[in-house]
Amino acid sequence: MRYKWSINSLAWLFHRITGIVLSFYIIAHIYVLSHLKDPESYNRLMGMMKNPIVKISELGLFAVVLIHVFAGLRVTFLEAGISTKYQKHMAYTGAVFIALVWFIGAVYFLKEVF
């Protein structure tokens, strides 16, 4: 028997994957910040952060955060008692809202990069 993927299972999977990605990111972020002990290393890191490749990768991080937040809101609504017949609508609405917020953020963010 094969498992049939649905929008609900994909929303569940994206929530779990983005949670793992964010966990690794926060560990790396804390590690980097803990090694900034002098102004020279701080200035070197800030110089690296102005690189367009780093800026564009931050857009990826922004997407991961948005996906995780809205998938978490969907789970919260389900736990609060919203009927399961609205799961598919919540997933599609969340996906559209994520795309909209990401696009608006990307336009604003890329204006500063280029």
Side-chain angles (χ1 to χ4, degrees):
M1 183 165 83
R2 287 185 54 135
Y3 182 76
K4 185 176 178 182
W5 287 95
S6 68
I7 189 69
N8 300 327
S9 55
L10 287 175
W12 175 87
L13 184 64
F14 286 153
H15 189 240
R16 295 325 184 261
I17 290 171
T18 56
I20 292 168
V21 169
L22 289 172
S23 297
F24 284 124
Y25 169 76
I26 196 71
I27 290 168
H29 184 73
I30 291 170
Y31 175 79
V32 168
L33 290 180
S34 70
H35 285 81
L36 295 177
K37 303 211 185 294
D38 58 77
E40 181 182 315
S41 63
Y42 176 80
N43 290 332
R44 192 176 28 209
L45 179 67
M46 289 300 110
M48 185 188 77
M49 296 301 289
K50 293 178 183 175
N51 185 338
I53 293 171
V54 173
K55 293 286 189 180
I56 290 172
S57 68
E58 286 179 344
L59 283 176
L61 177 64
F62 183 48
V64 167
V65 168
L66 286 175
I67 291 168
H68 191 72
V69 165
F70 286 104
L73 285 173
R74 182 183 154 274
V75 170
T76 302
F77 290 148
L78 292 172
E79 292 293 324
I82 292 179
S83 175
T84 56
K85 70 180 181 178
Y86 298 117
Q87 274 193 39
K88 191 179 288 189
H89 300 295
M90 285 190 290
Y92 285 128
T93 304
V96 168
F97 197 68
I98 288 167
L100 247 139
V101 171
W102 185 86
F103 182 75
I104 291 168
V107 168
Y108 175 75
F109 189 77
L110 289 176
K111 209 182 328 180
E112 292 182 7
V113 173
F114 298 109

